[in-house]
Amino acid sequence: MLTPHVQENLEPYLPRLLLEWTARSPSSPNRNIDGSLVFVDISGFTQLSERLAQLGKIGAEEVADAIGTSFTGLLAVAYQEGGALIKFGGDALLLLFHGEEHALRASRAAEGMRRSLRAMGPIQTPRGRVTLRMSVGVHSGTFHFFLVGESHRELILTGPAVTETVEMETAAEAGEIVVSSATAASLPDGVLGETKGPGRLLRRRRPLGAPGGFVSVGVSASADQLARCLPAAVREALLSGAHEPGHRLVTVAFVRYEGIDRMIREEGLDAAAEALAALVEDVQRAADRHEVTFLATDVDRNGGKIILASGAPRARGNDEERMLLAVREIIEGDRALPI
């Protein structure tokens, strides 16, 4: 049995949706939520990291500070509109808005985040200035969530509505917000710009009114339930207290799966949940067998990505070999979803 102190250390690293799901219906493998999804991608962190990597530990600390400061400001804007952080992927955010006027609040948050990032201005570094910019995609619809996995429970967001969101973000260039036709239908014409790819640009102004000032209702899961929602290597790193930033050589692999949109449409959510569970459990077993970290999952068109890391959060040696062995084992598996 884990202690409440452990619970305090783990809870900040898990999305509110996952906390609520784990506390109230942990055995349910899937659920649908009507709302609006905002996909925010920040450009400039790679350039910042490359410049500061030459400064060693000090450079790593500056990168961590810049990322922390930037995302803290952006999330504050989203939280004012009732947004819930679903995924954080280094230089990207995935935010869900649901409830009354979710499309309006999501669009207002996207514009507010764009203004906030612009107001931050260039980041000054010992190696020069770096300007961060963001591209954003917004879509409104019914989103499919899955909670699957054996060695840990992984929250996965995938399906046709996610595909639409990814397409909106892909169409957006740096500094742009592209909303889907479903989102645009809930917005006043005056805030919509020209057509951009499959969507419409959001003009550089606040869509309507002031932030909603939503207050989230906290839901607490037990420490043991929280621990099951984090990969073992990540959980151990968080509980060890060793959070100092640094540069190291790490081997990373992306396992992409596809075909989920058709499966959901033709076979239903239960079939999709079974296929995702089989895939995630196969990847977990291969990763555990070769001491590779199941780091996270991410969204993509018609499927998603599983991110594996060897050499982080703990270095074990022979990182490339262990990763190649794990990936070969995953690829050679027989499963419903192609990878």
Side-chain angles (χ1 to χ4, degrees):
M1 181 70 70
L2 299 177
T3 67
H5 176 68
V6 170
Q7 183 174 359
E8 292 175 3
N9 287 341
L10 298 182
E11 197 169 83
Y13 293 90
L14 296 168
R16 292 200 308 267
L17 173 63
L18 181 54
L19 297 178
E20 183 270 333
W21 194 337
T22 302
R24 294 178 176 170
S25 55
S27 62
S28 177
N30 58 272
R31 66 190 299 184
N32 296 333
I33 298 179
D34 292 329
S36 295
L37 194 66
V38 178
F39 185 178
V40 181
D41 187 50
I42 309 294
S43 59
F45 281 127
T46 299
Q47 182 186 13
L48 181 66
S49 179
E50 289 173 347
R51 289 189 181 184
L52 294 178
Q54 304 170 36
L55 301 180
K57 187 175 184 297
I58 294 176
E61 290 173 349
E62 291 207 21
V63 172
D65 287 344
I67 292 174
T69 299
S70 301
F71 282 115
T72 296
L74 298 179
L75 287 172
V77 175
Y79 291 159
Q80 280 189 309
E81 297 288 358
L85 178 63
I86 301 298
K87 295 285 182 180
F88 170 70
D91 57 0
L93 297 172
L94 203 62
L95 298 150
L96 178 68
F97 297 76
H98 62 95
E100 187 177 352
E101 295 187 321
H102 55 76
L104 176 62
R105 290 186 286 110
S107 302
R108 191 159 59 203
E111 171 58 14
M113 286 187 284
R114 178 166 63 181
R115 293 155 68 103
S116 176
L117 189 65
R118 193 161 55 242
M120 291 178 194
I123 297 174
Q124 300 286 347
T125 80
R127 302 294 184 185
R129 305 196 321 174
V130 175
T131 299
L132 301 181
R133 303 183 72 189
M134 61 189 281
S135 58
V136 184
V138 186
H139 173 62
S140 304
T142 300
F143 293 91
H144 307 304
F145 291 84
F146 300 86
L147 188 58
V148 296
E150 192 172 75
S151 61
H152 80 276
R153 302 289 280 165
E154 180 69 21
L155 178 65
I156 293 179
L157 172 57
T158 187
V162 172
T163 295
E164 289 241 24
T165 309
V166 173
E167 289 176 348
M168 295 307 114
E169 192 282 323
T170 301
E173 298 179 36
E176 294 181 340
I177 300 168
V178 176
V179 301
S180 69
S181 57
T183 301
S186 297
L187 302 179
D189 290 338
V191 305
L192 297 171
E194 63 188 44
T195 298
K196 185 68 183 287
R200 296 277 300 276
L201 286 171
L202 196 65
R203 290 182 176 173
R204 292 178 179 273
R205 50 167 286 188
R206 191 175 298 279
L208 262 184
F214 277 69
V215 178
S216 62
V217 178
V219 177
S220 293
S222 70
D224 291 284
Q225 287 174 320
L226 296 181
R228 281 213 68 206
C229 294
L230 286 165
V234 175
R235 181 175 66 243
E236 291 169 7
L238 293 175
L239 296 179
S240 71
H243 301 158
E244 288 190 6
H247 294 288
R248 68 169 69 174
L249 291 175
V250 177
T251 302
V252 177
F254 288 75
V255 179
R256 186 184 185 279
Y257 60 91
E258 59 184 20
I260 197 73
D261 291 4
R262 180 205 59 79
M263 180 174 285
I264 289 174
R265 284 193 300 264
E266 298 180 6
E267 301 179 44
L269 289 175
D270 289 341
E274 289 180 11
L276 284 169
L279 171 63
V280 169
E281 289 168 17
D282 281 354
V283 174
Q284 288 175 333
R285 283 191 288 269
D288 291 344
R289 188 173 294 115
H290 298 287
E291 296 184 292
V292 168
T293 301
F294 186 119
L295 193 61
T297 55
D298 199 3
V299 297
D300 204 347
R301 290 185 183 91
N302 190 31
K305 290 177 281 190
I306 300 173
I307 306 170
L308 305 176
S310 182
R314 179 189 298 178
R316 300 181 186 275
N318 299 321
D319 294 334
E320 296 90 345
E321 180 182 354
R322 289 186 290 101
M323 179 65 81
L324 289 173
L325 289 171
V327 171
R328 186 178 69 178
E329 183 175 326
I330 294 165
I331 292 174
E332 290 176 350
D334 182 20
R335 57 185 63 85
L337 290 172
I339 57 174

